[in-house]
């Protein structure tokens, strides 16, 4: 869900690579704040929560568009599957494992979510991050998006190895059609409860060894891509929703192709329409936020936000937004545990006076941003430097 980011907040947009990504950092910052609002407002000030669109899904869709736009570009720029996966693993896992550890340590006070099975399959699902597509819950409820990020990475890697990665527009349309079809015929996952997560865990670990070591890399990429696609369409809690997310991500990639002059906007428009109508006839479409008016409004707002960000990418980006983008992964993973533990201390805010609600909410946001900056500074940044060092050592060893 989170694409590669520069280590320091860029001040202006210019021709250098870091500055050209500043607008993406800004979009990540906005997306992170939207997801925080989705969870904090019902807890602190429910009267402020909007219901004419889903602010949390809006933020998530912005994240997915950003990932779709930048992740394939990152892989192609490197031209190296090994370097790409080392970068991704060091980007995602250190903070993720820290948060999982905190949740486990604090389980004596706040029990782990009931949707996390008390079974070895939960361990396997957390090793791969593929819990949502193997119909299991994550330690933190926001972790579900990481499953689709991982599916996207695996499929993109298989396409890259095959040489089919530039057909992003067609792939986006195919996933959009798949979302509509899945919604018409599937009411839930087709795979059994525990075995998909365990089998996926074994294949994932073995496949990562192959991708990074270079041994059987092509076969590993194909197997992992097929595994990801199978889990997406047969193991997701809501199959149409999973296919729709991949349509959104490949739409982001298709936009990148159009910007580079290697693709058109027609597939982007078609996939956008398919995403907008995906839940209309779906069997699993009983939630308020997938009703046509709310869902289409949410999709339009997310797409419009991305379009505005892209249109303004040649302008100076406010430092505050780029800073929020840098710490967005920390904000995303930490805000729910922090809110849960704070709620355990102060109780139900909904019964408190509005002034107290506002003060506690502002205090919570201040603590969240400070803690997120610390984890970015002392966990995320060192891990990414270590990943780059590992990539460099591998290249130096291969040079002779």
């Amino acid at each position: 869900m989170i694409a590669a980011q520069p280590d320091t907040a860029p001040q202006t947009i210019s021709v250098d690579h870091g500055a050209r990504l500043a607008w993406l950092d800004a979009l990540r910052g906005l997306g992170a704040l939207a997801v925080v609002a989705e969870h904090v407002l019902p807890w602190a000030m429910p009267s402020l929560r909007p219901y004419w669109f889903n602010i949390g899904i809006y933020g998530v869709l912005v994240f997915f568009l950003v990932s779709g736009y930048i992740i394939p570009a990152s892989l192609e720029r490197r031209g190296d599957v090994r370097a790409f996966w080392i970068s991704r693993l060091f980007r995602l896992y250190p903070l993720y494992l820290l948060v999982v550890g905190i949740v486990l340590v604090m389980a004596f006070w706040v029990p782990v979510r009931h949707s996390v099975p008390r079974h070895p399959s939960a361990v396997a699902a957390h090793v791969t991050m593929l819990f949502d597509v193997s119909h299991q819950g994550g330690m933190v409820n926001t972790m579900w998006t990481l499953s689709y990020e991982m599916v996207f990475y695996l499929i993109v890697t298989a396409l890259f190895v095959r040489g089919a990665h530039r057909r992003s527009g067609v792939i986006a349309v195919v996933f959009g059609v798949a979302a509509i079809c899945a919604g018409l015929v599937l009411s839930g996952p087709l795979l059994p409860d525990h075995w998909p997560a365990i089998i996926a865990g074994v294949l994932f670990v073995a496949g990562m060894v192959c991708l990074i070591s270079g041994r059987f890399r092509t076969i590993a990429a194909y197997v992992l891509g097929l595994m990801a696609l199978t889990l997406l369409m047969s193991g997701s809690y809501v199959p149409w929703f999973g296919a729709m997310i991949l349509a959104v991500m490949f739409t982001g990639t298709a936009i990148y192709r159009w910007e580079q002059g290697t693709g058109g906007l027609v597939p982007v428009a078609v996939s956008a329409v398919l995403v907008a109508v995906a839940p209309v006839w779906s069997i699993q479409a009983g939630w308020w936020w997938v009703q046509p008016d709310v869902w289409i409004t949410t999709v339009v707002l997310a797409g419009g936000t991305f379009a505005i960000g892209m249109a303004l990418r040649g302008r100076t980006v406010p430092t505050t937004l780029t800073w929020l983008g840098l710490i967005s992964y920390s904000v995303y993973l930490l805000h729910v545990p922090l809110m849960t533990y704070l709620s355990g201390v102060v109780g139900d805010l909904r019964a408190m006076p509005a002034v107290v609600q506002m003060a506690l909410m502002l205090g919570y946001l201040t603590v969240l941003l400070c803690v997120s900056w610390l984890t970015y500074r002392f966990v995320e940044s060192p891990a990414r430097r270590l990943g780059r060092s590992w990539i460099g050592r591998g290249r130096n060893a291969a040079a002779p």
Side-chain angles (χ1 to χ4, degrees), residues 7 74 82 85 87 156 194 198 207 267 285 290 334 340 370:
D7 281 343
S74 174
R82 172 186 175 273
W85 274 103
S87 173
V156 165
H194 297 303
I198 294 174
V290 294
L334 291 171
T340 302
C370 290

Side-chain angles (χ1 to χ4, degrees), residues 213-276:
S213 70
R215 298 177 181 176
F216 307 107
R217 178 174 288 162
T218 300
I219 295 174
Y222 290 160
V223 169
L224 290 176
L226 180 60
M227 178 194 77
L229 184 61
T230 302
L231 289 175
L232 178 77
M233 299 307 302
S234 304
S236 300
Y237 276 116
V238 185
W240 75 262
F241 191 66
M244 181 279 303
I245 289 173
L246 267 292
V248 170
M249 299 181 85
F250 277 106
T251 298
T253 311
I255 293 172
Y256 170 78
R257 304 284 179 220
W258 167 77
E259 182 188 34
Q260 298 299 308
T262 57
L265 282 179
V266 172
V268 174
V270 173
S271 61
V273 171
L274 293 172
V275 167

Side-chain angles (χ1 to χ4, degrees), residues 163-182:
H165 54 289
R166 298 189 185 278
R167 301 173 184 172
S168 310
V170 174
I171 296 170
V173 172
V174 168
F175 274 112
V177 173
I180 294 176
C181 294

Side-chain angles (χ1 to χ4, degrees), residues 132-133 144-152 232 236 242 245 249:
D132 208 71
V133 293
W144 68 269
T145 60
L146 298 179
S147 298
Y148 299 100
E149 289 279 344
M150 190 61 72
V151 166
F152 182 64
L232 178 77
S236 300
I245 289 173
M249 299 181 85

Side-chain angles (χ1 to χ4, degrees), residues 47-130:
S47 61
L48 297 181
R49 185 188 189 188
Y51 285 94
W52 54 278
F53 81 109
N54 187 312
I55 191 171
I57 295 297
Y58 157 81
V60 166
L61 291 178
V62 171
F63 272 130
F64 285 142
L65 282 169
V66 169
S67 285
Y69 177 92
I70 197 61
I71 289 298
S74 174
L75 176 56
E76 292 163 21
R77 185 175 64 250
R78 297 176 186 275
D80 183 350
V81 170
R82 172 186 175 273
F84 171 77
W85 274 103
I86 291 175
S87 173
R88 289 294 86 200
L89 295 176
F90 277 91
R91 177 70 181 94
L92 295 179
Y93 274 90
L95 179 64
Y96 166 80
L97 293 175
L98 175 64
V99 173
V100 168
I102 291 172
V103 172
L104 290 175
V105 169
M106 297 299 289
F108 73 93
W109 178 30
V110 178
V112 176
R113 300 172 67 212
H114 292 299
S115 59
V116 179
R118 275 53 175 176
H119 188 274
S121 61
V123 177
H126 280 78
V127 168
T128 63
M129 294 188 182
L130 294 171

